[in-house]
Amino acid sequence: MAGKRSGQGRDQVRVVSYNIRKGLGLDRRRDPLRILRVLGEVDADVVALQEADRRFGLRESVLPQILMDNHSDYEAVPLDVQTDSMGWHGNAILVRRGIAVEAHDIIHIPCLEPRGVVTARLSVRGQSLAVFGMHLDLSGLWRRRQARVIADLAAAASETNATVLMGDLNEWRARAGTFREFKRHFSVLDCGPSFHAARPLGRLDRIMHCDRLKALDCGVHRSALAARASDHLPVWADFAL
C-alpha cells in the first residue's frame, strides 16, 4: 500500500504513474470503476496514466466522464486533441479537483510506433509544478532517442518550474541509455518492481524529478484490488513543496 503523508499533505504533493492497460484486468474484465478505486487507494494529487484510451476506432477514453464525476476526486487535464479521448496516444494527466491547470500541451517525439508525451503546468497549493507523462517505445534505440528529446524539453521547463516526469519507460535495464539521457538533468527514483502485477519483477514504471523538488518517499502501491485491475501496479512518490 502507499504510505501515509504527514501533515495531511499540506506541504507535500503526491504523484502517481499508472499503466491501466485500457482498464483490462488480469481477470480479463474491463472495469474502469476498479481503476478509479485503485486511484482512490493511492490518494495522489497528480496522476499520469498510460493506456488511458482505446487503441482503435474513436479511441474513446477508458474512464467514462460520468464515472470520473461520480466516483473520483479527479479531473482530466484537457488536451484538446480528440473529443472522445482522455489523453493522447493513451497518455493522460489527472489532477485532484481544486488544482488549477495553468497550461497544457502535447509533444511529438521520434517513434517507431505511435507514441507521444503529454505535459501540463499546474498550480499546487500556490506553487507551480510542471508534469510530463509518457509511455516509451518497446525498441531500445527509439527509447533513448525519445528520452533525449523529453529530457531536454523538461530541463527547459525546470528552469522556471519544479518539474516531475512519470510514465512507463518500458526499460528493464538499470544501466540503459534511456536512464543516462534522463539522468543528465533529473534524479530517477527507484520506486520498486511494478510489472507484472501478478508477480512484479520489472521496474518499468518510473518517476523522475528536478532539483527544485525534494523526494520524501516513493514506492509501489500493492493491494488486492491493484493486483487484479491491470498488468502494472501504480508507482507513487511524495515531494516536499
Side-chain angles (χ1 to χ4, degrees):
M1 298 287 286
K4 296 294 184 181
R5 288 177 284 182
S6 61
Q8 290 76 49
R10 287 190 298 269
D11 57 350
Q12 300 177 21
V13 59
R14 171 167 288 182
V15 302
V16 165
S17 181
Y18 191 15
N19 184 329
I20 63 173
R21 198 195 187 194
K22 305 175 184 65
L24 187 65
L26 298 191
D27 54 6
R28 306 302 298 172
R29 289 195 303 115
R30 198 178 302 277
D31 189 345
L33 183 56
R34 182 166 54 185
I35 295 294
L36 293 177
R37 286 172 174 162
V38 172
L39 292 179
E41 291 179 345
V42 188
D43 191 29
D45 300 296
V46 183
V47 180
L49 295 179
Q50 301 87 49
E51 299 192 24
D53 299 322
R54 300 291 186 95
R55 186 172 183 179
F56 301 109
L58 296 176
R59 299 186 180 180
E60 68 265 28
S61 171
V62 168
L63 304 178
Q65 187 62 49
I66 190 170
L67 288 185
M68 292 280 292
D69 292 341
N70 294 326
H71 298 280
S72 85
D73 295 324
Y74 295 104
E75 298 175 341
V77 171
L79 298 173
D80 305 328
V81 181
Q82 293 177 251
T83 57
D84 296 312
S85 300
M86 173 179 286
W88 188 58
H89 292 304
N91 294 290
I93 298 173
L94 307 183
V95 296
R96 186 182 296 278
R97 290 190 181 92
I99 292 177
V101 180
E102 299 175 338
H104 55 80
D105 203 357
I106 59 173
I107 299 170
H108 296 269
I109 55 175
C111 58
L112 180 63
E113 52 186 329
R115 298 286 178 179
V117 178
V118 293
T119 182
R121 189 176 72 248
L122 311 173
S123 177
V124 183
R125 300 179 185 92
Q127 299 197 42
S128 187
L129 177 68
V131 178
F132 290 77
M134 69 196 75
H135 189 181
L136 300 190
D137 210 288
L138 294 172
S139 161
L141 175 62
W142 286 98
R143 276 198 303 274
R144 182 163 188 175
R145 292 173 179 173
Q146 293 165 352
R148 184 180 305 126
V149 170
I150 298 165
D152 288 343
L153 290 171
S158 70
E159 293 178 2
T160 53
N161 302 282
T163 303
V164 62
L165 304 88
M166 302 182 280
D168 179 356
L169 304 191
N170 266 321
E171 184 58 76
W172 291 82
R173 300 167 300 152
R175 299 181 181 275
T178 301
F179 291 122
R180 288 197 293 272
E181 294 294 343
F182 284 120
K183 285 180 178 178
R184 290 185 295 121
H185 305 291
F186 300 99
S187 298
V188 180
L189 299 180
D190 184 358
C191 298
S194 56
F195 180 85
H196 188 280
R199 187 183 179 189
L201 295 174
R203 288 167 159 80
L204 305 188
D205 304 285
R206 293 283 185 156
I207 297 174
M208 301 165 279
H209 66 95
C210 73
D211 58 11
R212 291 176 180 268
L213 288 168
K214 178 184 178 182
L216 301 174
D217 199 3
C218 66
V220 178
H221 177 74
R222 295 180 174 88
S223 71
L225 197 63
R228 297 191 307 274
S230 171
D231 58 350
H232 287 248
L233 297 170
V235 297
W236 57 273
D238 290 338
F239 296 101
L241 287 173

